[in-house]
Amino acid sequence: MFDDIRQLIDTLLKVEALHAGATTPGERDAAGAAIERIKAKLEQFIESDPPGEMQCTFSNHWSKQLFCALAKRYDLQPYRYHRQRYTTVMIRVPKRFLDEVLWPEFEGLNAVLKKYIDEMTTKIISEAIFKGSTEEEVREQPLIESEVKQTTTPVAQSKPNVPVKTSSPAQPSAPTKPSPVATATVPRPVPAPNLKVGRNDPCHCGSGRKFKKCCGGRGR
């Protein structure tokens, strides 16, 4: 573990010396000389390009830490405004220095650190948690509910034989004859043959009319 860290530090120093413009092996091995060389570049850029406020955004916390450490190493003051994201860093620096020196050096060191962190993470997980591939399985996207309904054939279920009442089509009913209304006819009494009734007398049937206009007129 300690040997790996020592090797990582040596690699980072070489990356820094490379971006500082070191040419000889002695210059590449001297970290102090690299820092002073980069600071001299910063002074040159300030004379021709006044510092301006620059915003940098990072995808993770340790990359942000690396950038802030580099900025402070060159006497720059990174900061963040209230309510800005934690992965955001503001810095006042000449734009040319940021584009041509500081940011390229950050990217070189960040790539080395990322590779080291990935390798160490894989090694620690393999030794302490699980030996083998830790990649997730790739599966086909599941069908949505509507597609499942379209592709699924319903299975017929057997049911016990239960008699089902079926209604036969309505047969036209035969016209019903209206029931005859019983009309009670009261038979009129027939006068006795020996009884003589005058033609103008009230009819003996009780109709209240004269005999000649009632029962006495039937023979006409």
Side-chain angles (χ1 to χ4, degrees), residues 6 9-22 24-39 70 73-74 105:
R6 184 69 256 176
I9 293 174
D10 292 339
T11 304
L12 295 177
L13 291 176
K14 290 178 181 179
V15 172
E16 184 181 37
L18 178 64
H19 286 277
T24 65
E27 291 176 342
R28 289 194 291 269
D29 293 337
I35 295 173
E36 295 301 325
R37 194 172 283 105
I38 291 179
K39 285 183 178 180
L70 277 176
R73 192 170 192 180
Y74 305 137
E105 182 181 5

Side-chain angles (χ1 to χ4, degrees), residues 1-215:
M1 176 69 73
F2 293 103
D3 293 338
D4 293 338
I5 295 177
R6 184 69 256 176
Q7 184 179 359
L8 172 65
I9 293 174
D10 292 339
T11 304
L12 295 177
L13 291 176
K14 290 178 181 179
V15 172
E16 184 181 37
L18 178 64
H19 286 277
T23 56
T24 65
E27 291 176 342
R28 289 194 291 269
D29 293 337
I35 295 173
E36 295 301 325
R37 194 172 283 105
I38 291 179
K39 285 183 178 180
K41 287 185 179 182
L42 176 58
E43 293 296 332
Q44 294 175 1
F45 283 119
I46 290 176
E47 293 178 359
S48 59
D49 184 14
E53 188 178 59
M54 304 295 172
Q55 176 177 321
C56 303
T57 305
F58 304 92
S59 59
N60 55 74
H61 183 66
W62 60 265
S63 293
K64 171 192 168 184
Q65 284 183 305
L66 172 62
F67 181 83
C68 291
L70 277 176
K72 291 181 178 181
R73 192 170 192 180
Y74 305 137
D75 298 331
L76 298 172
Q77 297 299 322
Y79 57 94
R80 176 173 57 87
Y81 288 115
H82 182 60
R83 293 186 178 178
Q84 278 188 320
R85 294 181 179 273
Y86 287 103
T87 52
T88 298
V89 173
M90 308 297 296
I91 187 172
R92 293 191 65 84
V93 66
K95 188 176 185 302
R96 284 188 59 198
F97 180 79
L98 177 65
D99 294 342
E100 299 177 17
V101 180
L102 185 58
W103 194 258
E105 182 181 5
F106 161 75
E107 288 184 329
L109 296 173
N110 191 59
V112 175
L113 279 177
K114 183 179 184 302
K115 181 180 178 182
Y116 173 79
I117 292 173
D118 289 344
E119 291 176 353
M120 291 304 298
T121 301
T122 302
K123 183 178 180 180
I124 292 172
I125 291 176
S126 176
E127 292 182 1
I129 300 177
F130 178 76
K131 291 183 179 181
S133 175
T134 57
E135 296 296 327
E136 69 278 5
E137 180 183 355
V138 179
R139 298 181 178 181
E140 295 294 334
Q141 186 74 17
L143 297 176
I144 60 177
E145 184 177 356
S146 60
E147 294 177 346
V148 172
K149 290 182 179 180
Q150 293 177 1
T151 56
T152 304
T153 304
V155 180
Q157 298 180 353
S158 58
K159 295 183 179 180
N161 295 328
V162 179
V164 180
K165 294 182 179 181
T166 57
S167 58
S168 58
Q171 297 292 336
S173 57
T176 58
K177 296 181 179 180
S179 59
V181 180
T183 56
T185 55
V186 180
R188 294 182 178 182
V190 180
N194 298 325
L195 181 62
K196 292 183 180 180
V197 181
R199 296 182 68 247
N200 295 322
D201 292 337
C203 187
H204 59 270
C205 68
S207 63
R209 293 182 295 174
K210 292 182 179 182
F211 176 74
K212 63 181 180 179
K213 293 183 178 182
C214 189
C215 295

